[in-house]
Amino acid sequence: MGLKITPVSDVCGAEISGIDVTTPLAPEDAAAIEAAFNRHKVLVIKEQPMTARQLADFSANFGPLQAHVQTAYQHPEVPEVVQMTNKKADGTFDEVGAARGAAPKTRDGWHSDLSFERQPAKATLLHSIEVPNSGGNTCFSNTTMAYAALPEDVKQRLDGLQAEFVYGQAKRNPLAAKAAEALKGKAKTETVAIQPVVVRHVATGEPAIFANPYTTSHILGLPEDESEALIELLTDQMEDLAFRWEHEWSAGDTLMWDNRGGLMHSGRMDYPRDQARRFIRTTVSGGELMPFKMSA
């Protein structure tokens, strides 16, 4: 059986089947997966367990890999891989580890990976090692659709605006501040960037909301109350169920999602805290951002 691409919702997401991700990928299959990635924004590969080395090798089909700023969780043998866990070495619940990309309420957790760096990530690949028996889904919001549904007067207000995105010195969002406690060295002060509030996707040309409640501190050039009101409005929009889909994990699943505009994600922190939630993750670099202007 050859490569098969099956959409999983009308909002976003497609399942990739018919390939063995633990072996070298044929160039034509890599190209087909890249095209599906641009179209569907998030891809799912079900129940194919991988080692850290295999995940890194598979991820490298889609661009150069970069180490994550959270060096405290770096894999000891494969530096391109970061470990995601809600457990400390002694088995107790790790509040900081659990807060990395997850939230009790998705409304507080929506974000795009490495939006606080000058050039965000192109893609994130997340592979499950151990999952709880309930909860812990990863949720996605299609912010291309969310932007298209905004009233015209709101689009006009957003046009050309820029915002500050912060991780190491996050203050607006307590969850981001908690997750940032594990940062080391310069990452504590240098994880900050100015990005457009609305971007045009580099591959599809579609405009999408890029500001988010997790790493956006404020919108530049606006009074604090107006900035806050706009961030809240955009958060309400991406929280709308009409634009959302979520993945229920099984051990051995892999997700690959886009960070170049058009997609936000948040893990759910609604699982039993005495159960482990362990993943390994890679970051594909090269997430070019294009500002969007309505008149352009």
Side-chain angles (χ1 to χ4, degrees), residues 72-265:
Y73 294 92
Q74 193 171 55
H75 193 281
E77 298 169 1
V78 188
E80 311 97 302
V81 172
V82 65
Q83 301 175 101
M84 311 285 288
T85 178
N86 66 343
K87 295 291 184 181
K88 297 179 181 178
D90 63 3
T92 59
F93 189 77
D94 185 345
E95 291 278 359
V96 174
R100 292 166 60 216
K105 297 179 180 178
T106 54
R107 195 180 190 288
D108 301 319
W110 296 120
H111 67 288
S112 183
D113 287 334
L114 304 192
S115 57
F116 48 79
E117 294 195 352
R118 185 187 61 80
Q119 185 178 61
K122 172 187 176 182
T124 300
L125 286 91
L126 186 64
H127 180 73
S128 59
I129 304 296
E130 187 176 5
V131 297
N133 60 20
S134 65
N137 291 0
T138 297
C139 308
F140 297 92
S141 177
N142 184 325
T143 60
T144 299
M145 294 175 63
Y147 175 79
L150 286 171
E152 286 303 311
D153 65 315
V154 175
K155 292 179 182 178
Q156 291 287 348
R157 288 172 64 196
L158 297 173
D159 199 37
L161 292 179
Q162 293 184 308
E164 181 185 71
F165 292 72
V166 176
Y167 191 27
Q169 300 181 79
K171 295 182 177 65
R172 182 182 180 273
N173 189 314
L175 285 169
K178 174 61 71 175
E181 288 179 9
L183 292 173
K184 296 180 178 180
K186 292 182 179 180
K188 293 181 178 181
T189 57
E190 295 185 356
T191 46
V192 57
I194 305 300
Q195 312 285 16
V197 171
V198 178
V199 299
R200 184 188 296 277
H201 193 279
V202 66
T204 68
E206 297 174 314
I209 300 167
F210 194 70
N212 67 77
Y214 194 73
T215 59
T216 301
S217 64
H218 65 283
I219 297 174
L220 304 184
L222 297 183
E224 183 178 351
D225 58 345
E226 187 177 346
S227 168
E228 188 64 19
L230 272 179
I231 294 172
E232 288 293 308
L233 184 154
L234 296 177
T235 303
D236 288 341
Q237 190 75 349
M238 63 186 71
E239 182 74 356
D240 192 318
L241 292 176
F243 312 126
R244 291 175 51 179
W245 169 78
E246 59 189 81
H247 176 66
E248 183 176 349
W249 289 96
S250 297
D253 288 356
T254 303
L255 291 182
M256 175 179 171
W257 64 74
D258 200 334
N259 296 295
R260 300 167 295 177
L263 192 72
M264 297 287 168
H265 66 280

Side-chain angles (χ1 to χ4, degrees), residues 2-69:
L3 175 68
K4 185 177 180 181
I5 300 166
T6 307
V8 296
S9 83
D10 294 333
V11 173
C12 63
E15 182 177 345
I16 303 297
S17 57
I19 58 168
D20 181 353
V21 297
T22 66
T23 61
L25 195 60
E28 60 270 22
D29 286 341
I33 292 172
E34 180 93 25
F37 177 64
N38 290 334
R39 178 180 179 184
H40 297 286
K41 305 182 187 300
V42 55
L43 303 178
V44 184
I45 301 166
K46 293 287 291 180
E47 298 180 357
Q48 291 198 45
M50 283 192 276
T51 65
R53 182 71 266 162
Q54 288 169 334
L55 177 62
D57 289 345
F58 177 73
S59 303
N61 286 287
F62 310 106
L65 304 188
Q66 65 183 83
H68 195 273
V69 294

